[in-house]
Amino acid sequence: MEVDNQKKKNHIFLYGIIGVFIGIVLSCGIFYVLYSQKILIFESAKVQSKDSKNKISDQTTSEIEKNNYIFDSSKVVNASAEGYTLTVPSHASGTNIYLDSSQTKVTVSINHYLISQNYRLGWVTSNDDYTYEPHEIVFEQKVVDIFFGGIGQDVSGDTLLFLLEDGTVQYLPLKKAYSTDHENLKSYGTLSGISNIVKFYSANSLSQMGSSVTILAQDEDGNLYDLATLLQETGNY
């Protein structure tokens, strides 16, 4: 009897081993079918990290290509001159600009003596006074670029341009603002006739009568706009 019982135990143990073996074989077969049909896919952390880097790299490349705008004077939509050439932007004497981290507050710091001399305002100031007085201008949306340029042939055309995140442009005519109420500097509003602006250029406008400086604004399609005409139409120059 004991011999028979031992044989039965051996048979059960053998059957168990065979069952486990068959289970392993079947599992491997199912795994192979799923993997070969791309139903089951494994990616390592290194692969996922590499894919993420590639996506970031692609986005960066796309942004670079998008922002690599080319200056082409033949694309000036509202040309008022026979031709345009780029020139180096000048500096607003006596005016310093600072944009805070929120990009909604611009601080315009002014030196009374330098501004009075530059724009012939006749302010009574000391010629050895080099302190700057800050004035804040708050915008309802982010300012993505601030540009100083001029229009015409003298400093009366000096202008600060504020490019907002929606592609619109607001402006500040410096001589007008300083001569009327320099204690309450503010934007003079949005320039009409332009939209989706991405970049500014300082340029010389050329004609048979001579040349003068102007500001060109470029939109996201590469079109250029001579801002001299638009700014003069505001009546603030």
Side-chain angles (χ1 to χ4, degrees), residues 217-235:
Q218 189 171 44
D219 66 18
E220 59 186 13
D221 294 322
N223 298 314
L224 294 164
Y225 299 85
D226 186 342
L227 297 188
T229 301
L230 302 180
L231 290 168
Q232 288 167 348
E233 289 175 351
T234 65

Side-chain angles (χ1 to χ4, degrees), residues 15 41 43 74 91 96-98 119 136 159 163 166 186 207-208 218 236:
Y15 293 150
I41 299 174
E43 290 183 353
S74 67
H91 174 70
N96 290 334
I97 312 298
Y98 173 77
Y119 298 110
E136 295 180 352
T159 304
L163 176 59
D166 65 353
K186 60 182 180 181
S207 66
Q208 293 181 350
Q218 189 171 44
N236 293 312

